Coordinates of all heavy atoms in Angstrom, one line a residue:
V10 N 10.2 0.0 0.4 CA 9.7 -1.4 0.2 C 8.2 -1.3 0.1 O 7.5 -2.0 -0.7 CB 10.2 -2.3 1.3 CG1 9.5 -3.7 1.2 CG2 11.7 -2.4 1.4
C11 N 7.6 -0.6 1.1 CA 6.1 -0.4 1.1 C 5.6 0.1 -0.3 O 4.6 -0.3 -0.8 CB 5.7 0.5 2.2 SG 6.0 -0.2 3.9
S12 N 6.3 1.2 -0.8 CA 5.9 1.8 -2.0 C 5.9 0.8 -3.2 O 5.0 0.7 -4.0 CB 6.8 3.0 -2.3 OG 6.4 3.6 -3.5
D13 N 7.0 0.0 -3.2 CA 7.1 -1.0 -4.3 C 5.9 -2.0 -4.2 O 5.4 -2.4 -5.2 CB 8.4 -1.7 -4.2 CG 9.6 -0.9 -4.6 OD1 9.4 0.2 -5.2 OD2 10.7 -1.2 -4.2
K14 N 5.6 -2.4 -3.0 CA 4.5 -3.4 -2.8 C 3.2 -2.8 -3.2 O 2.3 -3.5 -3.8 CB 4.5 -3.9 -1.3 CG 5.6 -4.8 -1.0 CD 5.4 -5.3 0.5 CE 6.4 -6.4 0.8 NZ 6.1 -7.7 0.2
L15 N 2.9 -1.5 -2.9 CA 1.7 -0.9 -3.3 C 1.5 -0.9 -4.8 O 0.4 -1.1 -5.3 CB 1.6 0.5 -2.7 CG 1.5 0.6 -1.2 CD1 1.5 2.1 -0.8 CD2 0.1 0.0 -0.7
R16 N 2.6 -0.6 -5.5 CA 2.5 -0.5 -6.9 C 2.4 -1.9 -7.5 O 1.6 -2.1 -8.5 CB 3.8 0.2 -7.5 CG 3.7 1.7 -7.4 CD 4.8 2.4 -8.2 NE 6.1 2.2 -7.6 CZ 6.6 3.1 -6.7 NH1 5.9 4.2 -6.4 NH2 7.8 2.9 -6.1
R17 N 3.1 -2.9 -7.0 CA 3.1 -4.2 -7.6 C 1.7 -4.8 -7.4 O 1.2 -5.6 -8.2 CB 4.1 -5.1 -6.9 CG 5.5 -4.9 -7.4 CD 6.4 -6.1 -7.2 NE 6.3 -6.6 -5.8 CZ 7.2 -6.2 -4.9 NH1 8.1 -5.3 -5.1 NH2 7.1 -6.7 -3.7
R18 N 1.0 -4.5 -6.2 CA -0.3 -5.0 -6.0 C -1.4 -4.2 -6.6 O -2.6 -4.4 -6.4 CB -0.5 -5.1 -4.4 CG 0.4 -6.1 -3.7 CD 0.0 -7.5 -4.1 NE 0.8 -8.5 -3.4 CZ 0.7 -9.8 -3.5 NH1 -0.2 -10.3 -4.4 NH2 1.4 -10.7 -2.8
R19 N -1.0 -3.2 -7.3 CA -2.0 -2.3 -8.0 C -3.0 -1.7 -7.0 O -4.2 -1.7 -7.3 CB -2.6 -3.1 -9.2 CG -1.7 -3.5 -10.2 CD -2.3 -4.5 -11.2 NE -3.4 -3.9 -12.0 CZ -3.2 -3.2 -13.1 NH1 -2.0 -3.0 -13.6 NH2 -4.2 -2.7 -13.7
V20 N -2.5 -1.2 -5.9 CA -3.4 -0.6 -4.9 C -4.0 0.6 -5.5 O -3.3 1.5 -6.0 CB -2.6 -0.3 -3.6 CG1 -3.4 0.5 -2.7 CG2 -2.1 -1.6 -3.0
S21 N -5.3 0.7 -5.4 CA -6.0 1.9 -5.9 C -6.3 3.0 -4.9 O -6.4 4.1 -5.3 CB -7.4 1.4 -6.5 OG -8.1 0.7 -5.5
L22 N -6.3 2.6 -3.6 CA -6.6 3.6 -2.6 C -5.8 3.3 -1.4 O -5.8 2.1 -0.9 CB -8.1 3.7 -2.3 CG -8.5 5.0 -1.6 CD1 -8.3 6.2 -2.5 CD2 -10.0 4.9 -1.2
A23 N -5.0 4.2 -0.8 CA -4.2 4.0 0.3 C -4.2 5.1 1.3 O -4.5 6.3 0.9 CB -2.8 3.7 -0.1
R24 N -4.0 4.8 2.5 CA -3.8 5.8 3.5 C -2.6 5.5 4.3 O -2.4 4.3 4.8 CB -5.0 5.9 4.5 CG -5.0 7.1 5.4 CD -6.1 7.2 6.4 NE -6.1 8.4 7.2 CZ -6.8 8.6 8.3 NH1 -7.6 7.6 8.7 NH2 -6.7 9.7 9.0
S25 N -1.7 6.4 4.5 CA -0.4 6.2 5.2 C -0.3 7.2 6.3 O -0.4 8.4 6.1 CB 0.8 6.4 4.2 OG 0.6 5.6 3.1
V26 N -0.2 6.7 7.6 CA -0.2 7.6 8.7 C 1.1 7.5 9.5 O 1.8 6.4 9.5 CB -1.4 7.3 9.6 CG1 -2.7 7.4 8.9 CG2 -1.3 5.9 10.3
A27 N 1.5 8.6 10.1 CA 2.6 8.6 11.1 C 2.1 9.1 12.4 O 1.2 9.9 12.5 CB 3.7 9.5 10.5
T28 N 2.7 8.6 13.5 CA 2.2 8.9 14.8 C 3.2 9.7 15.7 O 3.7 10.7 15.2 CB 1.8 7.6 15.5 OG1 2.9 6.6 15.5 CG2 0.6 6.9 14.7
E29 N 3.4 9.2 16.9 CA 4.0 10.1 17.9 C 5.4 10.7 17.6 O 5.6 11.8 17.8 CB 4.1 9.3 19.2 CG 4.6 10.1 20.4 CD 3.7 11.2 20.9 OE1 2.5 11.2 20.4 OE2 4.0 12.0 21.7
A30 N 6.2 9.9 17.0 CA 7.6 10.4 16.7 C 7.5 11.6 15.8 O 8.2 12.6 16.0 CB 8.4 9.3 16.0
C31 N 6.7 11.5 14.7 CA 6.5 12.7 13.8 C 5.8 13.8 14.4 O 6.0 15.0 14.1 CB 5.9 12.2 12.5 SG 6.9 11.2 11.4
R32 N 4.8 13.5 15.3 CA 4.1 14.6 16.1 C 5.1 15.4 16.9 O 4.9 16.6 17.0 CB 3.0 14.0 16.9 CG 1.8 13.5 16.2 CD 0.6 13.3 17.1 NE 0.8 12.2 18.1 CZ 0.3 11.0 18.0 NH1 -0.4 10.7 16.9 NH2 0.5 10.1 18.9
R33 N 6.0 14.7 17.6 CA 6.9 15.4 18.6 C 8.1 16.0 17.9 O 8.6 17.0 18.5 CB 7.3 14.4 19.6 CG 6.2 13.9 20.5 CD 6.7 12.9 21.5 NE 7.7 13.4 22.4 CZ 8.4 12.7 23.2 NH1 8.2 11.4 23.3 NH2 9.3 13.2 24.0
A34 N 8.6 15.5 16.9 CA 9.9 15.9 16.3 C 9.8 17.3 15.7 O 8.8 17.5 14.9 CB 10.4 14.9 15.3
V35 N 10.7 18.1 15.9 CA 10.7 19.4 15.3 C 11.0 19.3 13.8 O 10.6 20.3 13.0 CB 11.8 20.4 15.9 CG1 11.5 20.6 17.4 CG2 13.2 19.8 15.8
N36 N 11.6 18.3 13.4 CA 11.8 18.1 11.9 C 10.8 17.0 11.3 O 11.1 16.4 10.3 CB 13.2 17.7 11.6 CG 13.7 16.4 12.4 OD1 13.0 15.9 13.3 ND2 14.8 15.8 12.0
G37 N 9.7 16.8 12.0 CA 8.8 15.8 11.5 C 8.2 16.1 10.1 O 8.1 15.3 9.3
R38 N 7.9 17.4 9.9 CA 7.4 17.8 8.6 C 8.4 17.7 7.5 O 8.2 17.3 6.3 CB 6.9 19.2 8.6 CG 5.7 19.5 9.6 CD 4.5 18.9 9.1 NE 3.3 19.0 10.0 CZ 2.1 18.5 9.8 NH1 1.9 17.9 8.7 NH2 1.2 18.7 10.7
H39 N 9.7 18.0 7.8 CA 10.8 17.8 6.9 C 10.9 16.4 6.5 O 11.1 16.0 5.3 CB 12.1 18.3 7.5 CG 13.3 18.0 6.7 ND1 13.7 18.6 5.6 CD2 14.2 17.0 7.0 CE1 14.8 18.0 5.1 NE2 15.2 17.1 5.9
F40 N 10.8 15.5 7.5 CA 10.9 14.0 7.2 C 9.8 13.6 6.3 O 10.0 12.8 5.3 CB 10.9 13.3 8.5 CG 10.7 11.8 8.3 CD1 11.6 11.0 7.8 CD2 9.5 11.2 8.7 CE1 11.4 9.6 7.6 CE2 9.3 9.9 8.6 CZ 10.2 9.1 8.0
V41 N 8.6 14.1 6.5 CA 7.4 13.7 5.7 C 7.6 14.1 4.3 O 7.3 13.4 3.3 CB 6.1 14.3 6.3 CG1 5.0 14.2 5.3 CG2 5.7 13.7 7.6
E42 N 8.2 15.3 4.1 CA 8.5 15.8 2.7 C 9.5 14.9 2.0 O 9.4 14.6 0.8 CB 8.9 17.2 2.7 CG 9.2 17.8 1.4 CD 8.1 17.7 0.3 OE1 6.9 17.6 0.7 OE2 8.4 17.8 -0.9
R43 N 10.5 14.5 2.8 CA 11.6 13.6 2.2 C 11.0 12.3 1.8 O 11.3 11.8 0.7 CB 12.7 13.4 3.2 CG 13.8 12.4 2.7 CD 14.8 12.1 3.7 NE 15.6 11.0 3.2 CZ 16.6 10.4 3.9 NH1 16.9 10.8 5.2 NH2 17.2 9.3 3.4
V44 N 10.1 11.8 2.6 CA 9.4 10.5 2.3 C 8.6 10.6 1.0 O 8.7 9.8 0.1 CB 8.5 10.0 3.4 CG1 7.6 8.9 3.0 CG2 9.3 9.6 4.6
R45 N 7.9 11.8 0.8 CA 7.1 12.0 -0.4 C 8.0 12.0 -1.6 O 7.7 11.4 -2.7 CB 6.3 13.3 -0.3 CG 5.3 13.5 -1.5 CD 4.8 14.9 -1.4 NE 5.8 15.9 -1.7 CZ 6.3 16.2 -3.0 NH1 5.8 15.5 -4.0 NH2 7.2 17.1 -3.1
Q46 N 9.1 12.8 -1.5 CA 10.0 12.9 -2.7 C 10.7 11.6 -3.0 O 10.9 11.3 -4.2 CB 11.1 14.0 -2.4 CG 10.5 15.4 -2.3 CD 11.6 16.4 -2.0 OE1 12.8 16.1 -1.9 NE2 11.2 17.7 -1.9
E47 N 11.1 10.8 -2.1 CA 11.9 9.6 -2.3 C 11.1 8.4 -2.6 O 11.6 7.4 -3.2 CB 12.9 9.4 -1.2 CG 14.0 10.6 -1.1 CD 15.1 10.3 -0.1 OE1 15.4 9.1 0.1 OE2 15.7 11.2 0.4
T48 N 9.9 8.3 -2.0 CA 9.1 7.1 -2.2 C 7.8 7.3 -2.8 O 7.1 6.3 -3.2 CB 8.9 6.5 -0.8 OG1 7.9 7.3 -0.1 CG2 10.1 6.3 0.0
G49 N 7.3 8.5 -2.9 CA 6.0 8.8 -3.5 C 4.9 8.6 -2.4 O 3.7 8.9 -2.7
I50 N 5.2 8.2 -1.2 CA 4.2 8.0 -0.2 C 3.9 9.3 0.5 O 4.8 10.0 0.9 CB 4.6 6.9 0.8 CG1 4.7 5.6 0.2 CG2 3.8 6.9 2.1 CD1 5.3 4.5 1.1
V51 N 2.6 9.6 0.6 CA 2.2 10.9 1.3 C 1.8 10.5 2.8 O 0.7 10.0 3.0 CB 1.0 11.5 0.6 CG1 0.6 12.8 1.3 CG2 1.4 11.8 -0.8
L52 N 2.7 10.8 3.7 CA 2.4 10.5 5.1 C 1.6 11.5 5.7 O 1.8 12.7 5.5 CB 3.7 10.4 5.9 CG 4.6 9.1 5.8 CD1 5.9 9.3 6.6 CD2 3.8 7.9 6.3
E53 N 0.6 11.1 6.5 CA -0.3 12.0 7.2 C 0.0 11.9 8.7 O -0.1 10.8 9.3 CB -1.8 11.6 7.0 CG -2.8 12.4 7.8 CD -4.1 11.8 7.7 OE1 -4.3 10.8 6.9 OE2 -5.1 12.3 8.3
I54 N 0.5 12.9 9.3 CA 0.7 12.9 10.8 C -0.6 13.1 11.5 O -1.2 14.1 11.5 CB 1.7 14.0 11.2 CG1 3.0 13.9 10.4 CG2 2.0 14.0 12.7 CD1 4.0 15.1 10.7
I55 N -1.1 12.0 12.1 CA -2.4 12.0 12.7 C -2.4 12.4 14.1 O -1.4 12.3 14.8 CB -3.1 10.6 12.5 CG1 -2.3 9.5 13.2 CG2 -3.4 10.3 11.0 CD1 -3.0 8.2 13.2

């Protein structure tokens, strides 16, 4: 839904962050890659 909104609003610059759950999870990086492939959003685990 977020990805669709970013495109519809013609967003030119975005930053997408993920926090504690992705920091702690052993499969956090795998999840981030799935998000990139399925939504186009590049999540940054900060």
Side-chain angles (χ1 to χ4, degrees):
V10 175
C11 294
S12 180
D13 289 342
K14 285 180 174 289
L15 291 174
R16 280 191 287 269
R17 283 204 309 271
R18 293 294 184 177
R19 298 170 64 87
V20 170
S21 52
L22 198 63
R24 188 182 184 196
S25 306
V26 303
T28 55
E29 184 67 9
C31 288
R32 285 196 295 261
R33 293 179 58 187
V35 295
N36 59 344
R38 297 288 177 182
H39 168 77
F40 167 68
V41 167
E42 178 58 22
R43 177 184 167 185
V44 168
R45 186 191 68 79
Q46 291 181 0
E47 296 188 24
T48 72
I50 290 173
V51 180
L52 280 176
E53 174 191 359
I54 303 177
I55 59 174

